[in-house]
Structures are given as structure tokens and as C-alpha cells.
Amino acid sequence: MESKTLNSKADNRISVRQICFILIAFNVCGKVLLYPTNLSFYTNNDLWIAALIDFLIHGVAVWAAAYACSKSDLTLYTRLQNAFGKIPAKIIMGLFALYFLFASILPLGEHKLYVQDIFYDTIPSLIPFLPFFIFSVYAGAKGLNSAARAADLCFILFIISVGTIIVMSFDEVDFSNLLPVFSNSPQTVLQGALTGATRFSEAAYILLFMGHFKYKKGDALKITVSYGVGGLIVLLVCVIFYGIYADLSSNIFFVISKISTFFSAVNNVGRVDYIALYALEIVMLFSLVLKVQACRYCVEKAIGFSNGAIISVAINAVLIILTVVFDHRFTVLQNFVGGWGVIAFIIFANAIPISSLLLKKGEGKNAKA
């Protein structure tokens, strides 16, 4: 078992406020580039319904993982040890590491293309994106508290930038494009929602935060409501997106950068919305690194090696190789992750967090973590 008490692990202590910020800001950042586009491909004007299904189903997993944190101050790894033994616990943490590595590939691929689209549209997409891995190695070597502090720093920037983009977008929205509601078959909507499930890992993050924050009564509700706030922002972006582009939506990529294109001031002074997009890009970079930090944490528990810098370099080396391999094969990658790959998200981001309610309480609220 881990030898330090929860109170002595100041380097890994995070607050519920920071978790809530993560579930709002980083939650949204991972779902406003291609997620609405993919949903509209399957469901057209009912894309918001498919998104709502995704958020409601995963919301159950978020609440379950958050409530499981109330049962003990032990970390996930220690509670797994108590329940199944040391070797099975290491295997499970190793599988979580592979999951977070896998879950990183698609967001990295789409973000690489997004960076080219808004920053360097005349340069091959791989070249301007490679420096990201320098930042990723550095941030990935830090503990979970690094992600929490990043959320503190990014939250105001996120609110201002996203709020600005949404306000700029309203002029051109035609809400009649969303009618009639339920125009697609339930099977089609569910298919879109199933594909969209690959964008949801929030409940898995909460499992890793287990034992690293002091749970108080009502925190599960706060965490779940924060996740819901992020969901409402994404739903609003989906509605605005289809309200502007209608039947063209399935062919419009990088949604958050396209919904403010028709703001009236753009014709006079240019893409002033880019100021907000550049600010939001900072938040997006931290949201991308969160999966690397989660993977590093899981690897450390699985192999018992605590040198975060070396682990981070190894993880990022794998991600660089995969980024190069799929540099011109993003469609292949997207089809695989949205096809068979969705099974991994169902298991690690939904089934296991819900099952965490069954974990033993261990040694109680004041136990060693």
C-alpha cells in the first residue's frame, strides 16, 4: 500500500473546485471541434439529441465515480489492492494507462488539423504541431495537481473566450433549421450517440482523483452539476452550429472556429473572433495534456516506477510515432476509434466508474492513501 497519508501528500492534493473547473472547461474543449460535425453526419438536425444522450449516459458514470470517492480517502490503486490484490491492481492500472494512451490519439489528430486550419494553413499540419510535444513532455511529468492548477488558471480564460465566440455567433442562427425535432429514427440517433461516446473520459479522470481530494458532503452533486454545465455549453454549440449551417453541417470541420465566421464586424475589420480562438487554444492544449498526465499516473502505479519525467518522455514518444503514422490517415483513425474503439470507452469511461461503487471502503475515511 502507498505509505503516505492523504494529508501528507501535498504535491498531489487537489480541490473539488479544481475538479469542477476541469469538468466544465476541459470537458467542453474536447467536444467542440469535430464532435458536432460527426453527430450531424448521422442525425442531421437531431444532433443535439444524440449529444444529450451521450451526456446523460456518461453523467451516470460521472456521478457514480464521484460518489465512490465519498466512501474512503484511499486512492483508486489502494482500493483496488484491497479488493483484488497487488498484482490485479497493477494490471488494472496498466490497462487504464493503455486506455488513456488510446483515448489521446484521436484528439491529437484532430487538434493537429485544427492548428493548421486556424494558424498555419499553408504549412503541412505535422510541422507546427510537433512543438506541442515539448510542452506535453513537461506537463506530463507533473502530478495530478498540475492539471488541477492548470484548470484554475484556464477557467476564466475559457469562460471569456467561449462566451465571446457564442455571443458573436447568435446573429446568424436560424433555429428553424432544427425543426422538426425527432425527424430521425431512434436507431440513427443512437448510432450517432454511440460514435460520440469516444469523446467522453470524464468519469475515468474522477477515478484517478479518488483519494487526492478531501471529499465533503454534497461534493458528488457539485461535480456532477459541473459536468452538466459543460454539457449544456456543448449542446448550445451544437444548436448554434446546425442553426447556422443546417444541411451543410456534416461537411464543416472545427466547429468552434466556424460558428463565429459570420459575425458582422468580420466584414469590416477581419476575423476579430480569432482573438477569442487563440485564447481558447491555450485551454485546449491543457485539456489535451490531461490524458497524458492521467496515463503517466497509471503507468507509475502499474510498474512501481516513480520517475515521472522518464515516463512522460516514453508516453510522448509513442504519441509522436502514432501522430506521424496517422498524419494523412485521420479518416482511418476516426473510423476505427468510432467503430471498434468505442468498446474501450464503454468499459473504462462508463462501466468501470459505475462499478467503482462496489469497491470496498477499505480502512475508512481517515485511512492511508
Side-chain angles (χ1 to χ4, degrees), residues 99 102 194 198 336-350:
Y99 163 73
F102 176 68
L194 182 63
T198 58
F336 173 74
V337 174
W340 288 104
V342 75
I343 296 173
F345 291 85
I346 292 174
I347 294 172
F348 289 96
N350 292 280

Side-chain angles (χ1 to χ4, degrees), residues 12-59:
N12 269 333
R13 289 302 304 276
I14 59 179
S15 70
V16 173
R17 180 196 71 254
Q18 292 168 329
I19 295 174
C20 291
F21 286 174
I22 287 173
L23 292 182
I24 296 175
F26 294 174
N27 177 7
V28 173
C29 285
K31 301 176 180 68
V32 291
L33 294 182
L34 294 182
Y35 178 62
T37 302
N38 293 338
L39 292 183
S40 66
F41 175 79
Y42 289 98
T43 63
N44 298 308
N45 63 310
D46 287 334
L47 77 165
W48 67 272
I49 299 175
L52 180 61
I53 293 172
D54 278 336
F55 275 99
L56 289 177
I57 292 175
H58 193 66

Side-chain angles (χ1 to χ4, degrees), residues 33-201:
L33 294 182
L34 294 182
Y35 178 62
T37 302
N38 293 338
L39 292 183
S40 66
F41 175 79
Y42 289 98
T43 63
N44 298 308
N45 63 310
D46 287 334
L47 77 165
W48 67 272
I49 299 175
L52 180 61
I53 293 172
D54 278 336
F55 275 99
L56 289 177
I57 292 175
H58 193 66
V60 174
V62 168
W63 174 85
Y67 187 74
C69 294
S70 70
K71 295 185 175 183
S72 173
D73 283 341
L74 300 174
T75 62
L76 174 65
Y77 176 63
T78 302
R79 292 180 71 178
L80 289 172
Q81 279 187 304
N82 291 343
F84 306 111
K86 186 175 181 178
I87 300 302
K90 287 182 175 295
I91 292 173
I92 293 172
M93 295 304 292
L95 291 173
F96 262 108
L98 291 175
Y99 163 73
F100 282 115
L101 185 67
F102 176 68
S104 300
I105 301 172
L106 184 61
L108 282 174
E110 72 177 20
H111 205 84
K112 174 175 66 67
L113 297 174
Y114 172 66
V115 166
Q116 180 189 25
D117 186 68
I118 68 168
F119 290 105
Y120 306 101
D121 59 353
T122 61
I123 301 176
S125 61
L126 186 60
I127 296 174
F129 191 70
L130 284 177
F132 160 78
F133 290 103
I134 299 174
F135 168 67
S136 182
V137 167
Y138 174 77
K142 303 298 181 180
L144 293 175
N145 66 322
S146 174
R149 290 199 300 270
D152 267 338
L153 295 172
C154 290
F155 188 69
I156 297 299
L157 191 61
F158 166 79
I159 293 297
I160 294 173
S161 57
V162 168
T164 300
I165 293 168
I166 288 175
V167 169
M168 287 181 172
S169 306
F170 263 108
D171 281 349
E172 294 298 321
V173 178
D174 182 356
F175 291 103
S176 66
N177 289 333
L178 295 157
L179 301 176
V181 181
F182 304 115
S183 60
N184 295 271
S185 68
Q187 292 85 351
T188 302
V189 173
L190 290 174
Q191 183 180 6
L194 182 63
T195 303
T198 58
R199 307 289 175 168
F200 292 78
S201 293

Side-chain angles (χ1 to χ4, degrees), residues 276-332:
L277 290 171
Y278 293 160
L280 184 60
E281 172 64 16
I282 297 173
V283 187
M284 287 183 169
L285 290 177
F286 281 103
S287 71
L288 280 176
V289 168
L290 180 57
K291 287 185 174 65
V292 176
Q293 292 169 317
C295 182
R296 193 229 79 180
Y297 175 86
C298 293
V299 169
E300 183 179 309
K301 299 301 179 185
I303 66 177
F305 182 65
S306 59
N307 192 316
I310 293 178
I311 296 174
S312 181
V313 168
I315 292 169
N316 280 280
V318 173
L319 289 175
I320 289 173
I321 292 171
L322 292 172
T323 301
V324 172
V325 168
F326 290 105
D327 185 28
H328 298 291
R329 302 176 181 88
F330 180 74
T331 302
V332 174

